[in-house]
Amino acid sequence: MTGKEINGKDISLEIRGKLQKEVAALIDKGVKPGLAVILVGDNPASKTYVKSKQKSCREIGMESILMEMPFDTSEEKLLAEIKKLNDNDDIHGILVQLPLPSHISEIKVIQTIAPKKDVDGFHPVNIGRMMTGQDTFLPCTPFGVMEMLKYTGIDPEGKHAVIIGRSNIVGKPMGQLLLRENATVTYCHSKTSDMKSLTNQADILVAAVGKPKMITADYVKEGAVVIDVGINRDENGKLCGDVDFDDVKEKAAFITPVPGGVGPMTITMLLYNTVKSAKKTLNHRNQNKDVVK
Ligand code: GUN
């Protein structure tokens, strides 16, 4: 397909190139950005994501440590490991891969991560900061979508953005970030009646439902921007999104593919947030030096 397709890989490469230079500059000043990733259990999809995150860190010169913990790890043990990482000055970002086994409280885990190291942007303090327009770590997937819109020259101001899905990780923050950029936002979810009548009003349609190819052309207004956050397997085991790409592509003005759309951007924004955290550490250190002088 031609200019319609928003290529997340290319945009990611550009941002990662800039980050690589920032990492080198930080290392020169004695701070190597470090990300700690904790994986509990052996969910195959989570394993793949985590390996990809680690590889991406190393590619731009960052440090990345992976802590693999067995499925039956107690909540207490996990919280204790997080606290150690909170106190470790070489670690600037902590990510606990979700979902967690059901005997562990996700909320407790997220709240135990120090907000200044919460590079996922999931801590309630950081969510509150995002909602009130303060500087913080933005959740990586919605942040990545906003960057894709920016790089493509799509200004959300005055547009009607319809989000399908209301997860804490994607749907909810996605709406907030679009609202911050002056879009009018509608959320659709599994209890929404007559969803198509709403999605057909969307100038920007974001699908984050986790249902393979659910969004067909009849959900989409002619000329809409269609952002596909889904990562699913189709009936043949092939990766696909929440949007039926072949059905929707002719109707959309812009559309993101799966793979190669939002996916690479999520990891890129994780790298961005970790570099940002490392820069803050350095600034802090320098400020404290000034005080001593
Ligand atoms: N599981 C799926 N997506 C994410 C993510 O962005 N961060 C974490 N921590 N877990 C996830």
Side-chain angles (χ1 to χ4, degrees):
M1 216 170 74
T2 51
K4 269 190 177 189
E5 201 169 318
I6 307 179
N7 188 326
K9 264 197 219 158
D10 287 351
I11 301 170
S12 275
L13 273 179
E14 198 174 326
I15 300 174
R16 289 185 198 197
K18 287 184 199 157
L19 289 173
Q20 191 165 10
K21 290 192 185 116
E22 292 197 52
V23 170
L26 280 163
I27 292 173
D28 272 350
K29 290 176 184 146
V31 176
K32 185 174 190 183
L35 174 71
V37 177
I38 303 180
L39 175 64
V40 184
D42 48 19
N43 176 318
S46 291
K47 263 197 162 163
T48 307
Y49 294 145
V50 159
K51 295 263 181 279
S52 187
K53 286 170 185 177
Q54 277 213 295
K55 182 167 165 268
S56 306
C57 280
R58 300 221 174 98
E59 276 169 1
I60 66 160
M62 283 170 47
E63 189 61 50
S64 163
I65 62 164
L66 172 62
M67 295 183 62
E68 290 187 87
M69 302 174 84
F71 184 87
D72 61 0
T73 299
S74 69
E75 185 179 279
E76 200 185 356
K77 169 100 175 91
L78 176 57
L79 298 185
E81 288 303 330
I82 294 170
K83 284 177 191 159
K84 274 194 232 161
L85 292 167
N86 283 343
D87 294 335
N88 181 340
D89 289 341
D90 293 332
I91 295 299
H92 305 97
I94 302 169
L95 181 148
V96 180
Q97 186 66 25
L98 304 178
L100 286 166
S102 58
H103 65 276
I104 300 177
S105 157
E106 275 185 13
I107 303 258
K108 261 198 204 163
V109 166
I110 290 167
Q111 289 192 343
T112 302
I113 298 171
K116 67 174 186 184
K117 296 191 179 185
D118 167 40
V119 285
D120 259 327
F122 293 168
H123 193 291
V125 165
N126 288 331
I127 294 170
R129 293 181 69 87
M130 173 193 69
M131 289 188 69
T132 50
Q134 298 175 68
D135 182 43
T136 185
F137 299 117
L138 300 177
C140 301
T141 299
F143 187 15
V145 171
M146 296 308 288
E147 286 296 300
M148 289 176 104
L149 295 176
K150 196 166 91 183
Y151 268 75
T152 313
I154 298 160
D155 182 0
E157 183 161 311
K159 305 247 169 40
H160 187 185
V162 177
I163 324 288
I164 314 173
R166 53 172 161 174
S167 70
N168 289 334
I169 293 182
V170 182
K172 281 184 205 161
M174 187 73 255
Q176 283 298 320
L177 295 185
L178 286 160
L179 182 65
R180 247 166 71 153
E181 295 301 322
N182 302 317
T184 302
V185 176
T186 299
Y187 287 99
C188 294
H189 48 78
S190 53
K191 303 286 187 287
T192 299
S193 47
D194 197 9
M195 193 185 291
K196 278 184 196 165
S197 72
L198 295 165
T199 60
N200 266 289
Q201 295 172 39
D203 303 309
I204 300 173
L205 182 63
V206 182
V209 248
K211 288 201 177 142
K213 300 185 189 175
M214 174 186 148
I215 305 304
T216 42
D218 50 335
Y219 280 84
V220 178
K221 184 172 85 168
E222 189 80 44
V225 175
V226 179
I227 307 289
D228 190 352
V229 179
I231 303 176
N232 315 296
R233 298 265 169 198
D234 70 9
E235 59 281 4
N236 303 315
K238 213 176 133 220
L239 268 189
C240 73
D242 292 346
V243 176
D244 187 335
F245 186 89
D246 291 333
D247 198 37
V248 169
K249 68 182 179 196
E250 298 307 332
K251 226 171 170 185
F254 290 99
I255 184 166
T256 64
V258 177
V262 176
M265 293 300 292
T266 297
I267 299 187
T268 300
M269 302 334 286
L270 173 68
L271 303 177
Y272 177 96
N273 281 346
T274 310
V275 171
K276 174 174 173 158
S277 178
K279 281 197 276 191
K280 282 200 170 169
T281 305
L282 184 67
N283 288 344
H284 239 238
R285 204 183 274 174
N286 289 342
Q287 272 165 12
N288 288 342
K289 243 194 262 163
D290 290 345
V291 171
V292 174
K293 274 180 201 165

